[in-house]
Amino acid sequence: MRLVLLGPPGSGKGTQAALLKDRLNVVHISTGDLLRAAVAAGTELGKIAKATMDAGELVSDDLVLQLLEDRLGQPDVANGYILDGYPRNLAQAKALDALLSRLEQNIDHALALIVDEEQIVARLAQRASEQGRTDDSESVVRHRLHVYAEQTAPVVDYYEAKGLLARIDGVGSIEEINQRLMDAM
Ligand code: AP5
């Protein structure tokens, strides 16, 4: 099973992917986590990405595609994966199609979590106070939402046109939402 999990910042992609990966016996691939690991490790890529991430902008398509391609080359993806945070714009969606075509793979489902903006701002304010993620300040969160609306929302339509999309209400308990995702598949 190969899934794309879509939704704005704070919609619960990472939370849901962590549960789905165990239920489906697949791996969870978050480009945000891969980038944060590169920043924490102080790699060249991490140094380039840090300021962009802190500002709530998208890191360059080439850098993220390279990270993803390396990750998809690892043996643990054989049983499938959940992509969380990729693709983030139409160019990335097309690059993913080209990469999957080379790998002779396809996406089974694209699931989009729907959560309203004020709930997102509240969730990420809570996370900012608990974890101090550098891009969770209110002004950066609002900018990330703007970037999502401009650049990532068209990706939802892209998968809809392919007949792969389900929209899921992302408000409720984590378990309820997880069941909605399973039911949609
Ligand atoms: P990324 O790490 O992908 O961040 P994001 O999409 O902004 O997502 P978040 O992690 O904030 O939210 P989420 O939807 O995963 O929700 P979560 O489960 O964490 O990207 C960060 C940055 O990296 C980007 O801005 C960009 O710079 C760069 N980047 C990443 N991918 C890229 C790409 N492909 N191209 C270019 N740049 C890229 O939940 C959020 C909070 O809500 C948590 O505290 C959680 O506990 C809580 N929560 C979850 N579910 C519920 C619920 N049902 N009820 C109440 N609270 C809940």
Side-chain angles (χ1 to χ4, degrees):
M1 175 81 81
R2 300 183 195 96
L3 302 178
V4 168
L5 205 48
L6 297 164
S11 59
K13 301 181 297 295
T15 303
Q16 293 300 329
L19 295 179
L20 287 176
K21 78 176 170 64
D22 293 333
R23 290 182 81 167
L24 301 170
N25 190 27
V26 297
V27 292
H28 171 198
I29 301 177
S30 156
T31 47
D33 287 348
L34 292 173
L35 286 164
R36 280 185 289 278
V39 171
T43 65
E44 270 316 300
L45 187 152
K47 285 178 196 155
I48 295 168
K50 185 176 184 337
T52 310
M53 294 173 74
D54 286 349
E57 298 285 348
L58 296 185
V59 176
S60 84
D61 292 344
D62 290 350
L63 284 185
V64 184
L65 181 63
Q66 189 56 56
L67 270 182
L68 181 69
E69 204 164 343
D70 292 348
R71 185 65 188 87
L72 291 184
Q74 291 172 24
D76 63 346
V77 303
N79 200 40
Y81 44 80
I82 304 165
L83 293 183
D84 158 11
Y86 196 97
R88 209 74 167 214
N89 57 31
L90 285 177
Q92 291 187 7
K94 289 174 188 163
L96 178 62
D97 281 350
L99 174 59
L100 293 182
S101 161
R102 283 206 302 283
L103 297 172
E104 298 184 343
Q105 296 179 1
N106 60 291
I107 295 296
D108 296 296
H109 301 283
L111 303 169
L113 290 166
I114 311 296
V115 181
D116 63 87
E117 178 162 338
E118 291 318 308
Q119 166 111 217
I120 284 170
V121 170
R123 284 184 188 179
L124 296 185
Q126 174 82 19
R127 185 170 70 185
S129 68
E130 289 168 2
Q131 297 175 21
R133 208 172 109 172
T134 49
D135 57 352
D136 275 347
S137 68
E138 182 171 345
S139 61
V140 176
V141 166
R142 296 225 184 247
H143 185 64
R144 285 161 61 199
L145 287 166
H146 175 74
V147 170
Y148 177 84
E150 281 212 322
Q151 301 196 46
T152 313
V155 175
V156 176
D157 302 334
Y158 180 83
Y159 285 106
E160 184 156 50
K162 285 176 172 278
L164 294 175
L165 184 80
R167 287 185 172 80
I168 311 295
D169 178 4
V171 179
S173 76
I174 288 167
E175 294 71 22
E176 275 167 357
I177 297 162
N178 197 251
Q179 194 54 48
R180 287 177 203 149
L181 290 164
M182 292 297 290
D183 292 346
M185 289 185 270

